[in-house]
Amino acid sequence: MFEFLRDFYNFTKPRIDKKDKTFFFLCFVFLFASVVMEYPAYYIQKFIVDEILISKSFNLLIPVTLLSLFFSLLFNLLYYFQDYLYALMDEKVVMHAKEELYNKLLKVKISFIKNNETGYILSRFNDDIEKVSGIFSLVYKDLTRDILVIIVTIFIIFYINWKLTLISLVMLPFFILNLKATTKILPEKNKNYFERRADYQKLLSETILGNTLLKLSTYFEVKLKVAKNRIFEIFKAKLVIFTWSCFFSGLDGVINWFGPGLVMLVGGFEVAAGRMTTGELLMFIGITSKIVGPTRRLLRYNMRFQTAAVAITRMNEMLELEEEDYKQDAKKIEKIDKVELNNVSFSYKDGYVFENLNYTFRRGKNYLLKGENGSGKSTIFFLIAGLLKPSQGKILVNDTNLDQFDLRNYRKKLLYIEQEPFLFNDTVKANLVLNNNNSDANHYNVSFLNFINELENKENYVVGENGGLLSGGQKRRVAVGRILYHDNAELILLDEITSNISENFRREVYEKIIKLNQNKDKIVICISHDTNIEPFFDETLSIPFNDYSKTN
């Protein structure tokens, strides 16, 4: 537990604003005050038994009852404020953590995205943070409160009767051993459960993306079996956690029974011998019972802490992922005159995709990049964009290594239209402009975009998740239409942009591309297998095919 508390403190500390630290101190003041307000009721109870009921001084009953009511109202008021303030702090910590995780997702290297399935990434960046939600209040409010209650209670009962106090604490070593056992066993079980959930989320994501294909083939039977197996694995992992949790809770109940039982037995003999009054024994038992609840809750807290500990570890793993190298103090590119692949080789785990490529792309020219499937044409675009780094060789921009430039500044001058068009769940206009402040023109009269005028709300039509409310051809046209709204781009990378577009529209697209570069102020590189478009380009470059499956 102590290791978790240290890790949790390190997790929350940077996520508490300076102005919130005063807030945090106020929370503790309310917490401490509410703990102190719990004890007068037991003294009032003793006074009622010994001084009113036994002495039959009933004239004091009403004022004492009103005093008890006052303390009860004050206690509940303090409890309300501390609950609210801690819940607010809890949500702020979670909010800051979510912002950090999303920011990391934007900055993480493209290799992480490519090497992991969508569902797994979603699980790591979203599900884990939910396991931490509420832990701030649990640690800084509930745990702190219960520890304070235990400490204050021990002092009070020791003052009342030190012998009974020692007897009530006789089972403490067994409680500590039980607590240590939960810390040792549960983290591993929770980690296994989290991984099983992530595996299932991967399957869910794949099922959503491939839903149409699954409906139209018998492969859904295979996926159904996989789903049943993964759901059963989650069930087994959760069952193991439940089994151990119930065992530790039951053991804790047995341990907590012995203390109060011994106090009742010995206290009864003390009253019979005249060394304690009945009211004192009732007060002692009442106050001692305040230890039982907190000690039992400590075990439950520890169980939750072990779940949260795994989640925090997994989140820290994501927050420590290697990011793209954004050097804000690096060189800024004023104008892209030349991009060069200098002896560039690139390999994945199973071998080289291509080796020793030497190409130069100059400002004012349009280039067509050709090659067989798998020859690495799209990989070249990723290298030029700085999304990947060469295994060997250099990417030079204006004769300077790309690594020495500010990537964000460089990419502001770049437009990349991918092979599989992606649209955000936003308006048509937003998907065309992509927050390019230099684009205020209206190109909806261009024939391959004139379908926009027929949509409900026209350019303000929301296209749905990944353009799901548009046809495949319309999605492609919107993606291609981005060219018209980024005429300030100096480096344009086009990856098979005219597949699924009719011949007439295809010709119009390439005419627009040539027109965009009529001032010879851009570098346009286009990947395509279409031999009919070669006349639109100044140079055609062929990428040699390297069967890297044989090079491993």
Coordinates of all heavy atoms in Angstrom, one line a residue, residues 135-170:
I135 N -10.0 7.7 -7.1 CA -8.9 7.3 -6.2 C -8.4 8.5 -5.5 O -8.0 8.4 -4.3 CB -7.8 6.6 -7.0 CG1 -8.3 5.4 -7.7 CG2 -6.6 6.3 -6.1 CD1 -8.8 4.3 -6.7
F136 N -8.4 9.7 -6.1 CA -8.0 10.9 -5.4 C -8.8 11.1 -4.1 O -8.2 11.3 -3.0 CB -8.1 12.1 -6.3 CG -7.5 13.4 -5.7 CD1 -6.2 13.8 -5.9 CD2 -8.3 14.2 -4.9 CE1 -5.7 14.9 -5.3 CE2 -7.8 15.4 -4.3 CZ -6.5 15.7 -4.5
S137 N -10.1 11.0 -4.2 CA -10.9 11.2 -3.0 C -10.7 10.0 -2.0 O -10.7 10.2 -0.8 CB -12.4 11.2 -3.4 OG -12.7 12.4 -4.1
L138 N -10.5 8.8 -2.6 CA -10.3 7.7 -1.7 C -9.0 7.8 -0.9 O -9.0 7.5 0.3 CB -10.2 6.4 -2.6 CG -10.4 5.1 -1.9 CD1 -11.8 5.0 -1.4 CD2 -10.1 3.9 -2.9
V139 N -7.9 8.3 -1.5 CA -6.6 8.5 -0.8 C -6.6 9.7 0.1 O -6.4 9.6 1.3 CB -5.5 8.6 -1.9 CG1 -4.2 9.0 -1.1 CG2 -5.3 7.3 -2.6
Y140 N -6.9 10.9 -0.5 CA -6.8 12.1 0.3 C -7.9 12.4 1.2 O -7.8 13.2 2.1 CB -6.5 13.3 -0.7 CG -5.2 13.2 -1.4 CD1 -5.1 12.9 -2.7 CD2 -4.0 13.4 -0.7 CE1 -3.9 12.8 -3.4 CE2 -2.8 13.3 -1.3 CZ -2.7 13.0 -2.7 OH -1.5 12.9 -3.3
K141 N -9.1 11.8 1.0 CA -10.2 12.0 1.9 C -10.5 10.8 2.7 O -10.3 10.8 3.9 CB -11.5 12.4 1.1 CG -12.7 12.6 1.9 CD -13.9 13.0 1.1 CE -14.4 11.8 0.3 NZ -15.6 11.1 0.9
D142 N -10.9 9.7 2.1 CA -11.4 8.5 2.9 C -10.3 7.9 3.6 O -10.4 7.6 4.8 CB -12.1 7.5 1.9 CG -13.3 8.1 1.2 OD1 -13.9 9.0 1.8 OD2 -13.6 7.6 0.1
L143 N -9.1 7.6 3.0 CA -8.0 7.0 3.6 C -7.5 7.9 4.7 O -7.2 7.4 5.9 CB -6.9 6.6 2.6 CG -5.7 6.0 3.3 CD1 -6.0 4.6 3.9 CD2 -4.6 5.8 2.2
T144 N -7.2 9.2 4.4 CA -6.7 10.1 5.4 C -7.7 10.2 6.6 O -7.2 10.2 7.7 CB -6.5 11.5 4.7 OG1 -5.7 11.4 3.6 CG2 -5.9 12.5 5.7
R145 N -8.9 10.3 6.3 CA -9.9 10.4 7.3 C -9.9 9.2 8.3 O -9.9 9.3 9.5 CB -11.3 10.6 6.7 CG -12.4 10.6 7.7 CD -13.8 10.6 7.0 NE -14.8 10.6 8.0 CZ -15.2 11.7 8.7 NH1 -14.6 12.9 8.5 NH2 -16.1 11.7 9.6
D146 N -9.9 8.0 7.6 CA -9.9 6.8 8.5 C -8.6 6.6 9.3 O -8.6 6.2 10.4 CB -10.0 5.5 7.6 CG -11.5 5.4 7.1 OD1 -12.4 6.0 7.7 OD2 -11.7 4.6 6.1
I147 N -7.5 7.0 8.7 CA -6.2 7.0 9.5 C -6.3 8.0 10.7 O -5.9 7.6 11.8 CB -5.0 7.3 8.6 CG1 -4.8 6.1 7.6 CG2 -3.7 7.5 9.4 CD1 -3.7 6.4 6.6
L148 N -6.8 9.2 10.4 CA -7.0 10.1 11.5 C -7.9 9.6 12.6 O -7.7 9.7 13.8 CB -7.6 11.4 10.9 CG -6.6 12.4 10.3 CD1 -7.4 13.6 9.7 CD2 -5.6 13.0 11.3
V149 N -9.0 9.0 12.1 CA -10.0 8.4 13.1 C -9.3 7.3 14.0 O -9.5 7.3 15.2 CB -11.2 7.8 12.3 CG1 -12.0 6.9 13.3 CG2 -12.1 8.9 11.8
I150 N -8.5 6.5 13.3 CA -7.8 5.4 14.1 C -6.9 6.0 15.1 O -6.9 5.6 16.3 CB -7.0 4.5 13.1 CG1 -8.0 3.7 12.3 CG2 -6.1 3.6 13.9 CD1 -7.4 2.9 11.1
I151 N -6.1 7.0 14.7 CA -5.1 7.6 15.6 C -5.8 8.3 16.7 O -5.5 8.1 17.9 CB -4.2 8.6 14.8 CG1 -3.3 7.9 13.8 CG2 -3.3 9.4 15.8 CD1 -2.6 8.8 12.8
V152 N -6.8 9.2 16.4 CA -7.5 9.9 17.5 C -8.2 9.0 18.4 O -8.2 9.1 19.6 CB -8.5 10.9 16.8 CG1 -9.4 11.6 17.9 CG2 -7.8 12.0 16.1
T153 N -8.8 7.9 17.8 CA -9.6 6.9 18.6 C -8.7 6.2 19.6 O -9.0 6.0 20.8 CB -10.3 5.9 17.7 OG1 -11.2 6.6 16.9 CG2 -11.0 4.9 18.6
I154 N -7.5 5.8 19.1 CA -6.5 5.1 20.0 C -6.1 6.0 21.2 O -6.0 5.6 22.3 CB -5.3 4.6 19.2 CG1 -5.7 3.5 18.3 CG2 -4.2 4.2 20.1 CD1 -4.7 3.0 17.3
F155 N -5.8 7.3 20.9 CA -5.5 8.2 22.0 C -6.6 8.3 23.0 O -6.4 8.3 24.2 CB -5.1 9.6 21.4 CG -3.7 9.7 21.0 CD1 -3.4 9.8 19.6 CD2 -2.7 9.8 21.9 CE1 -2.1 9.9 19.3 CE2 -1.4 9.9 21.6 CZ -1.0 10.0 20.2
I156 N -7.8 8.4 22.5 CA -9.0 8.6 23.4 C -9.2 7.4 24.3 O -9.4 7.5 25.5 CB -10.3 9.0 22.6 CG1 -10.1 10.4 22.0 CG2 -11.5 9.0 23.5 CD1 -11.2 10.8 21.1
I157 N -9.3 6.2 23.6 CA -9.6 5.0 24.4 C -8.4 4.6 25.3 O -8.6 4.0 26.4 CB -9.9 3.8 23.5 CG1 -8.8 3.4 22.6 CG2 -11.2 4.1 22.7 CD1 -9.0 2.2 21.7
F158 N -7.2 5.0 24.9 CA -6.0 4.8 25.8 C -6.2 5.6 27.1 O -5.9 5.2 28.2 CB -4.7 5.1 25.1 CG -3.5 4.6 25.8 CD1 -3.1 3.3 25.6 CD2 -2.8 5.4 26.7 CE1 -1.9 2.8 26.2 CE2 -1.7 4.9 27.4 CZ -1.2 3.6 27.1
Y159 N -6.7 6.8 26.9 CA -6.9 7.7 28.1 C -8.0 7.2 29.0 O -8.0 7.3 30.2 CB -7.3 9.1 27.6 CG -7.7 10.1 28.6 CD1 -6.8 10.7 29.5 CD2 -9.1 10.4 28.9 CE1 -7.1 11.6 30.5 CE2 -9.4 11.3 29.9 CZ -8.5 11.8 30.7 OH -8.9 12.7 31.7
I160 N -9.1 6.6 28.3 CA -10.2 6.1 29.1 C -9.8 4.8 29.9 O -10.0 4.7 31.1 CB -11.4 5.7 28.2 CG1 -11.9 7.0 27.5 CG2 -12.5 5.0 29.0 CD1 -12.9 6.8 26.4
N161 N -9.1 3.8 29.2 CA -8.8 2.6 29.8 C -7.6 1.9 29.0 O -7.9 1.4 28.0 CB -10.0 1.6 30.0 CG -9.7 0.4 30.9 OD1 -8.7 -0.3 30.7 ND2 -10.6 0.2 31.8
W162 N -6.4 2.0 29.5 CA -5.3 1.6 28.7 C -5.2 0.0 28.5 O -4.8 -0.5 27.5 CB -4.0 2.1 29.3 CG -3.6 1.5 30.7 CD1 -4.0 2.1 31.9 CD2 -2.9 0.4 30.9 NE1 -3.5 1.3 32.9 CE2 -2.8 0.3 32.4 CE3 -2.2 -0.6 30.2 CZ2 -2.1 -0.8 33.0 CZ3 -1.6 -1.6 30.8 CH2 -1.5 -1.7 32.2
K163 N -5.8 -0.7 29.6 CA -5.8 -2.1 29.5 C -6.7 -2.6 28.4 O -6.3 -3.5 27.6 CB -6.3 -2.7 30.8 CG -5.3 -2.6 32.0 CD -5.8 -3.2 33.2 CE -4.9 -3.0 34.4 NZ -5.5 -3.6 35.7
L164 N -7.9 -2.1 28.3 CA -8.8 -2.5 27.3 C -8.3 -2.0 25.9 O -8.6 -2.7 24.9 CB -10.2 -1.8 27.5 CG -11.0 -2.4 28.7 CD1 -12.4 -1.7 28.8 CD2 -11.2 -3.9 28.5
T165 N -7.6 -0.9 25.8 CA -7.0 -0.5 24.6 C -6.1 -1.5 24.0 O -6.1 -1.8 22.8 CB -6.3 0.9 24.8 OG1 -7.3 1.9 25.2 CG2 -5.8 1.4 23.4
L166 N -5.1 -2.0 24.9 CA -4.2 -3.0 24.4 C -4.9 -4.2 24.0 O -4.4 -4.9 23.0 CB -3.2 -3.3 25.6 CG -2.2 -2.1 26.0 CD1 -1.4 -2.5 27.1 CD2 -1.4 -1.7 24.8
I167 N -5.9 -4.6 24.7 CA -6.7 -5.8 24.3 C -7.3 -5.6 22.9 O -7.3 -6.6 22.1 CB -7.7 -6.2 25.4 CG1 -7.0 -6.6 26.6 CG2 -8.7 -7.2 24.9 CD1 -8.0 -6.8 27.8
S168 N -7.9 -4.4 22.7 CA -8.6 -4.2 21.4 C -7.6 -4.2 20.2 O -8.0 -4.4 19.1 CB -9.3 -2.8 21.5 OG -8.4 -1.8 21.6
L169 N -6.3 -4.0 20.5 CA -5.3 -3.9 19.4 C -4.6 -5.2 19.2 O -3.6 -5.3 18.4 CB -4.3 -2.8 19.7 CG -4.9 -1.4 19.7 CD1 -3.8 -0.4 20.1 CD2 -5.6 -1.0 18.4
V170 N -5.0 -6.3 19.9 CA -4.2 -7.5 19.9 C -4.2 -8.2 18.5 O -3.2 -8.9 18.2 CB -4.8 -8.5 21.0 CG1 -6.1 -9.1 20.5 CG2 -3.8 -9.6 21.3

